[in-house]
Amino acid sequence: MTSTVSGLLTILTLVVILAVLHRPVGDYMAWIYTTKNNWKIERGFYRLIGVDSASEQTWRAYLRGVLIFSVVGVFFVYVIQRIQEILPYSLGFPAVPQGLAFNTAVSFVTNTNWQSYSPDVTLGYAVQLGGLVVQNFVSAAVGIAVAVALIRGLARIKSGTLGNFWVDLTRGITRLLLPGAIFAAVVLIIGGVIQNFNGFESITTLTGGSASIPGGPVASQEAIKELGTNGGGFYNVNSAHPFENPTAWTNLFEIVLMLIIPFSLPRTFGKMVGDVRQGYAIAAVMGAIFAASLVAMTWFELNGAGTATRLAGGAMEGKEDRFGIWGSTLFATTSTSTSTGAVNSAHDSFTSLGGMMALLNMMLGEISPGGTGSGLYGMLVLAIITVFIAGLLVGRTPEYLGKKIGPREIKLASIYILITPALVLTGTALSFAIPAIRDNVEKVSIWNPGLHGFTEVLYAFTSAANNNGSAFAGITANTPWMNTALGIAMLLGRFLPMVFVLALAGSLAAQDKVPATAGTLPTHRPQFVGLLIGVSVIVTALTYFPVLALGPLAEGLK
């Protein structure tokens, strides 16, 4: 079987699996966030934290819950890194330095999982499990909760509340992420992913030398890392390591884990607003953008510039033979189209234009299909902007699902769209504009000077601000400037958009529903799907084209 046939069959298998699973998973998530029944363990947790599960919150109270919970998470993860040397199962590792501890704490609480260190030789099991893995669960649950709050804003009529953050958070963990991760971990163990507490084992190599092999609870971390679109690996090379991702079928399984919740959430959206066609329209936009990106990235990698690349059958530098180009580009497209950021190949070694596609996936706002929750609410904000533009074209007050899109709504949506590009471009510009910082970046951080070095810095800030976490690994990010600047970008890129999403949800929930008329734009038909795709791509192109022309485009056309 040729690599092309194998790659196409893998993609076909992925499509079939998602087509079969999205409906039951989407319906199950809709039930999770609409049922009035609480499980016994959930009732016990509500009593412990003093929450009345029957009471609902305004958008401001919901937001306060998100922010307070996240601030506590950052503090906790920071502290346990700083006291690592006195914790059990520290494996003898010292305390993590202040700057790196701050960056790592922010990274995992914001669902970014940017790692400016080699985790298997930096963090012991106590920090990995008690800090990072816990945040993999709760940060994913926070994202889904915010998306559900926006759905309620669209579905409710003259309501001053959006639900209860603490209830949504708890249910997301106990009913969705925890059982899903347990199942996934068992499958990964069957597939050869390791799960132990053996620490470092010394072995004798084939040449008679010695090597120290780190073990650990990898499968349990790998499962939630992919299911929660987190991405932080147990090993430095992430899912390229055979202990994390040993075979082609585990590679496919991990891709399914990354996509199953984001691609099922549109079904949840359709069920909760009472019109599943709306969910299918959103899913179609996500799927179309994902497919276009995958085709482009695969083509660029198969037809990389240079005689040596063509003779090798494609750009195989930085890729694992067991995955090949097709398995690598499918994983990379999935990872950067969601907010996962996991890698099974070196994105820095992709062709210039292939690497640019990974950048574009993040620059789109990770909406195809995006992270757990964040992809859906990002796409819904773009849908609101799209109906606003359509309303301007026909001279009607724009409406979406019976809710008028007035000045307040469009201002909130517009600010949401501007936040991430502002963080990406400001962070990149400051890295080169301020002489002291530029000298440090060029002498310490960038290993590949010139156009590619610029792209590495651009990729880092794009990944941080979009809470992705993948990197062009030729950059050294464990420096005072990078730890601080990327940490701030991750914080603002995660929580500022949530502020405007929840404010938008509150504004929509307070409205009455406007009956559809002959002039109402149908938002479930192919015309709207095409318009939404166009708006999504054009907004990105107008924002980022100049900076792309300075980096990957210039390098690719050179």
Side-chain angles (χ1 to χ4, degrees):
M1 184 183 300
T2 65
S3 61
T4 299
V5 172
S6 176
L8 291 173
L9 287 176
T10 300
I11 294 171
L12 178 62
T13 303
L14 175 64
V15 171
V16 171
I17 292 172
L18 293 176
V20 170
L21 292 181
H22 90 280
R23 180 167 181 166
V25 174
D27 290 351
Y28 176 64
M29 287 191 288
W31 171 81
I32 288 174
Y33 295 104
T34 56
T35 181
K36 300 296 183 182
N37 298 323
N38 294 312
W39 289 358
K40 185 176 181 179
I41 189 174
E42 295 168 347
R43 291 194 296 269
F45 177 70
Y46 302 147
R47 285 194 297 269
L48 178 65
I49 63 175
V51 167
D52 179 5
S53 62
S55 67
E56 295 210 343
Q57 298 171 312
T58 65
W59 75 265
R60 289 182 177 85
Y62 203 101
L63 175 62
R64 281 197 297 272
V66 170
L67 296 179
I68 291 171
F69 180 75
S70 300
V71 167
V72 171
V74 171
F75 177 76
F76 175 77
V77 177
Y78 175 83
V79 168
I80 65 171
Q81 290 179 88
R82 296 291 294 145
I83 63 171
Q84 173 174 245
E85 58 190 353
I86 65 173
L87 296 177
Y89 285 107
S90 66
L91 304 182
F93 294 142
V96 179
Q98 292 181 6
L100 181 58
F102 163 76
N103 184 279
T104 303
V106 168
S107 174
F108 278 80
V109 171
T110 58
N111 200 246
T112 310
N113 290 33
W114 174 273
Q115 294 174 293
S116 299
Y117 58 93
S118 298
D120 49 313
V121 293
T122 304
L123 301 179
Y125 299 156
V127 176
Q128 290 268 27
L129 294 176
L132 308 191
V133 172
V134 169
Q135 288 304 318
N136 282 349
F137 281 96
V138 298
S139 65
V142 167
I144 299 174
V146 173
V148 168
L150 179 57
I151 296 172
R152 291 191 185 117
L154 288 164
R156 293 184 174 182
I157 300 172
K158 293 184 176 180
S159 173
T161 60
L162 296 174
N164 188 306
F165 167 70
W166 304 104
V167 173
D168 293 338
L169 172 73
T170 304
R171 289 181 175 183
I173 296 170
T174 59
R175 305 189 187 193
L176 178 64
L177 295 170
L178 189 57
I182 292 173
F183 170 78
V186 171
V187 173
L188 289 171
I189 291 171
I190 294 172
V193 179
I194 69 169
Q195 180 77 11
N196 59 56
F197 289 89
N198 294 344
F200 290 83
E201 294 190 13
S202 296
I203 64 168
T204 301
T205 66
L206 294 175
T207 59
S210 62
S212 184
I213 307 297
V218 177
S220 55
Q221 182 165 331
E222 192 76 10
I224 187 58
K225 151 192 156 181
E226 312 292 18
L227 183 64
T229 62
N230 297 281
F234 192 91
Y235 294 99
N236 191 38
V237 293
N238 208 277
S239 291
H241 199 291
F243 286 177
E244 286 195 30
N245 188 11
T247 64
W249 79 260
T250 59
N251 192 60
L252 175 60
F253 182 69
E254 292 186 15
I255 291 170
V256 171
L257 289 179
M258 286 188 271
L259 293 175
I260 186 60
I261 292 178
F263 263 126
S264 298
L265 276 171
R267 171 74 183 187
T268 303
F269 162 66
K271 292 286 288 187
M272 292 181 67
V273 299
D275 186 355
V276 295
R277 299 175 302 173
Q278 302 293 337
Y280 287 131
I282 295 298
V285 176
M286 293 175 169
I289 296 174
F290 181 93
S293 175
L294 175 60
V295 169
M297 183 185 290
T298 304
W299 192 88
F300 289 138
E301 294 305 297
L302 287 172
N303 298 276
T307 304
T309 301
R310 293 193 181 94
L311 289 174
M316 279 299 294
E317 179 187 335
K319 299 179 179 67
E320 294 290 310
D321 282 340
R322 66 184 186 278
F323 304 139
I325 288 179
W326 288 83
S328 300
T329 56
L330 179 58
F331 197 101
T333 301
T334 300
S335 178
T336 53
S337 294
T338 61
S339 66
T340 313
V343 295
N344 74 347
S345 56
H347 291 185
D348 203 14
S349 294
F350 278 32
T351 62
S352 302
L353 299 181
M356 183 186 70
M357 295 310 302
L359 255 175
L360 278 174
N361 291 335
M362 295 184 287
M363 289 174 171
L364 280 168
E366 297 171 339
I367 54 172
S368 57
T372 48
S374 61
L376 179 62
Y377 65 66
M379 183 60 79
L380 291 178
V381 170
L382 282 168
I384 288 170
I385 291 177
T386 301
V387 297
F388 175 77
I389 294 173
L392 292 178
L393 294 175
V394 298
R396 282 183 53 88
T397 300
E399 303 163 10
Y400 187 55
L401 302 183
K403 300 297 181 77
K404 288 186 177 295
I405 308 303
R408 174 177 170 80
E409 289 76 25
I410 198 61
K411 287 176 184 176
L412 292 170
S414 298
I415 295 172
Y416 173 94
I417 293 297
L418 292 172
I419 290 171
T420 305
L423 293 171
V424 171
L425 299 178
T426 300
T428 304
L430 290 176
S431 297
F432 293 101
I434 301 175
I437 296 175
R438 182 181 65 242
D439 291 344
N440 179 266
V441 168
E442 291 179 345
K443 293 177 181 178
V444 179
S445 293
I446 296 177
W447 288 13
N448 302 290
L451 298 174
H452 195 73
F454 173 82
T455 305
E456 288 176 346
V457 176
L458 174 64
Y459 194 105
F461 280 97
T462 302
S463 178
N466 284 281
N467 302 132
N468 184 269
S470 64
F472 272 13
I475 189 170
T476 300
N478 188 14
T479 66
W481 164 250
M482 282 298 190
N483 279 331
T484 303
L486 294 177
I488 293 172
M490 288 185 276
L491 275 174
L492 298 180
R494 174 71 164 179
F495 296 113
L496 276 183
M498 285 184 175
V499 171
F500 294 102
V501 167
L502 290 173
L504 179 61
S507 179
L508 293 169
Q511 293 186 30
D512 196 359
K513 191 168 186 177
V514 180
T517 66
T520 301
L521 173 68
T523 53
H524 62 277
R525 294 180 179 172
Q527 296 95 322
F528 181 76
V529 170
L531 185 60
L532 181 51
I533 292 172
V535 169
S536 303
V537 174
I538 290 171
V539 166
T540 302
L542 292 177
T543 305
Y544 288 110
F545 180 78
V547 74
L548 289 172
L550 294 174
L553 275 175
E555 186 182 5
L557 299 175
K558 185 176 168 180

